[in-house]
Every structure is written in C-alpha cells, then in structure tokens.
Amino acid sequence: MALKEHKTPLLDELEKGEWPSFVTEIKNCASKNEMSNDLLGLLEKSYRERIGFWKHGGIVGVMGYGGGVIGRYTQLPEEYPNIEHFHTMRVNQPSGWLYTSDALRKLCDIWEKHGSGLTNMHGSTGDIVFLGCTTDDLEPTFADLTEAGFDLGGSGSDVRTPSCCIGPARCEWACYDTLAVTYDFTMHYQDELHRPAFPYKWKFKMSGCPNDCVASVARADISIIGTWQDDIRIDQDSVGEYSDNGLDILRDVIMNCPGKCMEWDGKTLEIDNKTCRHCMHCINAMPKALRPGTDTGAVVLIGSKAPIVEGAIISSVLVPFWKPEPPYDDLKDLMDEIIDLWCEEGKARERIGEFIQRVGMGNFLDAIGLEPEPAMVAYPRDNPYVFYEDAEEE
Amino acid sequence: MPSVDEIADGMYKMVQDAQGQKKLKPTGLQKAMMEMYGVDKKTCKLAIRALVDNGRLVYSYFGGSFLELPPDGDK
C-alpha cells in the first residue's frame, strides 16, 4: 500500500545549508516506514501550529524493568494513526561508544524490524536511542537486543546509564581508565539501573581529564574527572618549535592561564605547579610540548544538574583526589552512604545537588561521615566550608 | 522475621489500597515495610523485584517512578 504523502514546506527549509539534516534522515526512513512517514506529517504540523502534539510517560516498559523505555503517544492518533504509540527505548551504549560494524548493523536491523528505523546516536544521556516503538513491539525488540548482547539503559528515578569519554582508548590526556570504571559501575549498579528506587535520577559520568569531554561537571550527580597531582611535563624544545612556528605563547597561552602560574622569557617556559588550576588550557594549546603529570587519578565531584529551563547547578568537589583501583570499593562505599542518605531524606524529584543545597554541605558531609578538607571547593581558590562546633563558639 | 514473600504481600496490599488515590514510590513502600516489620533494605528490594518480575506490580512514570497495579488490575 502506498504511503500517505505529507507536504512539508517548513521542514524542507531545514534541509537547506551545508549541515546534515535530521529531516533528510526522517524522509529516508519515511519512504519505507509508515511510522516515520506519519512522524514527518506530525512534525510539519507542529512547526506550522507551534505546538508539540505529544504525551509522555505512563505505564510502559518491558517485563521486570522499570527503566529504559519512555512512553510517548501522539495527541492526534486519528490523524496520524501509525504514531499513536511512539515510545523511546534507551539502549545501554558500550563504554566510550566503541562498536564493531557488525554490532551497528545488528542494532539497525533490529530497529528496522521492530520500530521506526530512526535512531539517535547518541542521546544526551549517552545511550543509543531508538525512536518510535509500539507497545506490542517493546518485548520483541528487547528480546532481540539481549540476543545481540545489548541491554536497556536507565530512565526515570534510577541510576542512569553511566557514560564516559573515550578515555585511554584514543586520548593521550586520559588520567585514568574511564572505560573500565564506567563498565564496572554499570555492572555494579544493574539493580539500581533497571529498578527505579530513588527520589529522582542519578547520573555517573566519567571524564578522563579536566577537558571533561562528557561535560560531567555540568550535568552529572557524580562527576569523576581525571587529574594529576605532580607537575605538568614540559618539553622545552617543542615549546620553542611552537614559538618558531608562529604561536604567540605570551598572548595565547600565558595570558589565558587562569592561575597566572606560567612564565615565558622567549626561550624557557616555567610553570609554578602549586598554583596551577589544572584547566588544561596550556596543554590544549601546545599538545606536543606539555603533558599532564604522571601521578594521575581523578577528582570526584557531586551535585550538578542541567535542567532545560532553570536551576542549573555545577558540581562541587567531594573527593579531591581519588586513585581508581579495581574493584573501586572505596568509592562505591561512599556512594552507598550518599544514596542511603538521599533515599532516606530526599524529597521526590530532588536531585542530590538540590538536596545538598537544602541541608547544607556541612551537614551533608557530617551525615555521610566524610571529613571536610580545604581542597573540597565549589570553584578554584574558593573555600566555602567553615565549621564552628558549638564548643568552639563558646 | 517476615519472609520476602510476606513483605511482598504487604507492599502489594499498600499499593492496592492506595490505587486511584495516591501513587506510591518504591522508597515509600520500603520505608513503610522497614517501620512495620523491622526488615532491612535488601529484603525490601527483593520483595519489589519479586512483585515486578511476576507481574503483580508494574513501574510507571509520571515525573518520577512509581509502582502500581497492572492496567487490568487482576494480576
């Protein structure tokens, strides 16, 4: 049967220009999939009338799991019957998003068989996102995914799929093995990932260095960001080469250093490592000349969130330096303390960052049994933790 | 000490009684069982898992995750 043709003058505008267009991709799927075809029609109507015609949530999922499926329904099922159900499935991505071509083909085959064929590689959560599934197709899709070695990710009030940068697989700046920590945490928190039991969502994100390529500091409840304790390694010959090749070291490196910890006399670069803020700017500017130190590990931060409308919070330092060593029990024990407290005292839909703001960082640290120390900061060179015991005040 | 099945029955009854009036979160059920029977979190987790695995309760999402009776209400 021929597919109903939807006129899309407004969407067509989004195909113009030099960038890839999601409209083109939907059209490709629409030529052979009636869900994608109706999606195209609904989207055009949404652009025309400036209304999103979707409902979200409800009781929908696969047997035994409370996460991984986000229910979506169109408000106009008579007009667009093929997207009456258009659920999203989150599929747990491999750490660092490393795939074989065979794995990608399998994923696409599964999704063309059961769903709209449209994917989002990857969603802002980091998951592989399958867009558009009917309720009846959820279990068969899940069965095929597990057969191919994949599992659903997190959604709702649970541990969201842990996510990391590509780390030591391809990046020379990685200060710890983000892939290993992410895989380990994903396996350790399977129950919490699939069975929502928290006041609200909980995100782990692992970045290998302070460049923080997964933006964990801005959006993860627990951000694990690689760093080093010793001195930045300098190859003075390479610094000289950068200068000879036209890099204005004074203007583009020294003047942009937030710690003002560098000096350049035209021949030698010196760094006062005690005042270095580990921002990575100089290393990014001269990657052949500068490298992080060799005593590497990670900073563990807590409490960020990045909602769409308002209320963003940036993480605060929780553990100034953590040496990641399998099985990472020291950090997992600390996470258990925090999660227990949050589950006990947190309000519904209150992220851990909001909880800490409500009870105060001092009280929070006291409750989880973590000694405050000066290196726990919200911002570099900022010390927000001043404690007065009652006895001292008297 | 009550068994996992007994805790599961207690949770199921709470959800059944609240159906149509209030949505219950897993943490709420867990706290209630811990107070009522003095059981630990692990037992409560196992009870919830049993309830969901055998289809007596299902997860739902309405701005947060809740446990409810399945749509047909007879499982």
Side-chain angles (χ1 to χ4, degrees), chain A residues 222-258:
Chain A
I222 295 293
S223 320
I224 304 176
I225 302 177
T227 190
W228 63 95
Q229 289 198 115
D230 51 351
D231 295 349
I232 292 176
R233 287 174 281 170
I234 308 175
D235 177 346
Q236 296 290 355
D237 291 341
S238 294
V239 176
E241 274 179 36
Y242 275 107
S243 180
D244 294 345
N245 291 331
L247 178 70
D248 187 337
I249 292 178
L250 190 63
R251 188 193 65 191
D252 296 336
V253 182
I254 309 284
M255 299 297 283
N256 286 330
C257 172

Side-chain angles (χ1 to χ4, degrees), chain A residues 288-333:
Chain A
K288 289 181 182 170
L290 302 176
R291 302 174 63 78
T294 54
D295 183 9
T296 57
V299 185
V300 181
L301 303 99
I302 189 165
S304 63
K305 67 187 190 98
I308 294 167
V309 182
E310 61 180 19
I313 304 175
I314 293 284
S315 292
S316 299
V317 174
L318 183 70
V319 181
F321 190 78
W322 175 58
K323 203 81 178 167
E325 284 167 1
Y328 319 111
D329 284 343
D330 50 349
L331 190 59
K332 286 174 189 166
D333 289 345

Side-chain angles (χ1 to χ4, degrees), chain B residues 48-61:
Chain B
I48 290 172
R49 188 168 181 169
L51 285 165
V52 173
D53 284 352
N54 64 25
R56 293 175 77 193
L57 296 182
V58 291
Y59 285 103
S60 64
Y61 182 84

Side-chain angles (χ1 to χ4, degrees), chain A residues 12-292:
Chain A
D12 294 346
E13 291 296 315
L14 298 175
E15 292 188 279
K16 295 174 183 171
E18 57 188 296
W19 300 101
S21 167
F22 72 96
V23 173
T24 307
E25 300 306 321
I26 298 176
K27 283 182 179 176
N28 283 341
C29 279
S31 62
K32 54 194 174 195
N33 182 295
E34 50 197 15
M35 291 179 91
S36 294
N37 190 47
D38 269 6
L39 177 68
L40 209 54
L42 182 73
L43 196 57
E44 177 70 21
K45 189 180 177 82
S46 285
Y47 274 72
R48 195 170 55 242
E49 303 193 7
R50 300 185 180 187
I51 296 172
F53 296 101
W54 294 104
K55 293 180 286 185
H56 148 251
I59 301 174
V60 64
V62 298
M63 188 73 172
Y65 281 19
V69 178
I70 299 114
R72 294 194 200 284
Y73 307 85
T74 178
Q75 292 171 333
L76 305 170
E78 294 83 13
E79 208 172 331
Y80 303 98
N82 297 306
I83 50 172
E84 182 175 3
H85 301 179
F86 201 78
H87 309 315
T88 296
M89 296 185 85
R90 286 194 184 140
V91 182
N92 197 139
Q93 80 282 13
S95 294
W97 303 291
L98 295 158
Y99 301 90
T100 61
S101 303
D102 184 48
L104 287 171
R105 284 196 187 92
K106 271 185 189 156
L107 286 168
C108 292
D109 287 347
I110 290 168
W111 197 227
E112 284 184 352
K113 179 177 162 193
H114 295 292
S116 71
L118 293 168
T119 63
N120 183 354
M121 301 289 279
H122 297 81
S124 56
T125 56
D127 297 85
I128 302 157
V129 179
F130 283 179
L131 297 161
C133 190
T134 63
T135 302
D136 288 345
D137 267 306
L138 288 171
E139 289 289 354
T141 307
F142 181 54
D144 282 357
L145 280 169
T146 49
E147 176 75 24
F150 285 89
D151 194 2
L152 294 187
S155 67
S157 305
D158 63 10
V159 168
R160 298 303 182 83
T161 317
S163 172
C164 66
C165 69
I166 201 158
R170 288 195 64 186
C171 179
E172 59 192 310
W173 305 143
C175 293
Y176 73 98
D177 191 340
T178 52
L179 309 163
V181 173
T182 302
Y183 179 74
D184 185 280
F185 274 51
T186 303
M187 301 311 285
H188 181 77
Y189 289 103
Q190 278 292 293
D191 191 55
E192 291 81 0
L193 206 155
H194 296 308
R195 295 171 191 88
F198 292 166
Y200 204 24
K201 64 184 84 167
W202 178 276
K203 298 178 180 178
F204 287 110
K205 295 197 188 293
M206 293 73 167
S207 285
C209 80
N211 279 333
D212 194 10
C213 288
V214 287
S216 65
V217 76
R219 61 201 187 116
D221 297 278
I222 295 293
S223 320
I224 304 176
I225 302 177
T227 190
W228 63 95
Q229 289 198 115
D230 51 351
D231 295 349
I232 292 176
R233 287 174 281 170
I234 308 175
D235 177 346
Q236 296 290 355
D237 291 341
S238 294
V239 176
E241 274 179 36
Y242 275 107
S243 180
D244 294 345
N245 291 331
L247 178 70
D248 187 337
I249 292 178
L250 190 63
R251 188 193 65 191
D252 296 336
V253 182
I254 309 284
M255 299 297 283
N256 286 330
C257 172
K260 303 293 174 219
C261 67
M262 311 181 82
E263 282 186 18
W264 169 244
D265 63 4
K267 288 181 182 170
T268 307
L269 181 74
E270 286 185 7
I271 301 175
D272 176 10
N273 282 279
K274 289 195 295 298
T275 53
C276 169
R277 296 187 184 182
H278 294 201
C279 76
M280 294 290 289
H281 173 71
C282 60
I283 297 174
N284 293 333
M286 298 189 289
K288 289 181 182 170
L290 302 176
R291 302 174 63 78

